[in-house]
Amino acid sequence: EVQLVESGGALVQPGGSLTLSCTTSGFTFIDYTMGWFRQAPGKEREGVSAISASDHSTTYADSVKDLFTISRDNNKATVYLQMNKLQPEDTAVYYCAAASWGGTVVDGYPAEYGYWGQGVQVTVSS
């Protein structure tokens, strides 16, 4: 059974840091691009970052460049999102997803991302 389980969500103060993890099972993790998405109330799902399966190249939404870092550990079938200098506008439910082909930073529900986690809440507030 395919599973993607996010963890690490929390309430954090503005300017703080947080690391999200997504542990997966049930598919060939090393062959999939992994992505992070987020969705705030009243907004469409936003692509945050992606890391490729082959050379581990990374891409980021303009809003998080130089602030967030995506990484993956193929031995643990886990993808991470290190978030620094968090601000209230980063408050959202964060999802990880797996793409069998062509995965990159895109908004919405791109077809190439066939597997999705349930999401984890990140709240940035004083």
Side-chain angles (χ1 to χ4, degrees):
E1 181 179 353
V2 173
Q3 290 187 306
L4 291 78
V5 181
E6 302 95 337
S7 62
L11 171 65
V12 62
Q13 296 181 14
S17 298
L18 198 63
T19 299
L20 303 181
S21 299
C22 176
T23 300
T24 73
S25 61
F27 66 99
T28 309
F29 180 84
I30 60 173
D31 291 334
Y32 282 72
T33 290
M34 298 300 299
W36 285 97
F37 296 76
R38 65 186 180 185
Q39 189 165 23
K43 295 185 177 180
E44 291 193 329
R45 192 163 298 192
E46 175 190 13
V48 175
S49 184
I51 182 166
S52 71
S54 55
D55 60 0
H56 292 189
S57 63
T58 59
T59 53
Y60 299 91
D62 288 341
S63 61
V64 305
K65 285 183 178 178
D66 302 319
L67 298 173
F68 291 8
T69 302
I70 190 171
S71 62
R72 65 190 292 160
D73 185 336
N74 287 338
N75 291 329
K76 296 181 178 180
T78 299
V79 62
Y80 305 91
L81 185 68
Q82 173 68 42
M83 304 181 290
N84 298 320
K85 299 293 183 66
L86 285 162
Q87 298 299 313
E89 53 264 37
D90 296 313
T91 296
V93 176
Y94 284 71
Y95 302 86
C96 67
S100 60
W101 61 273
T104 187
V105 179
V106 292
D107 297 337
Y109 299 85
E112 61 266 35
Y113 286 95
Y115 303 138
W116 292 82
Q118 292 292 98
V120 62
Q121 179 70 46
V122 173
T123 302
V124 185
S125 176
S126 298

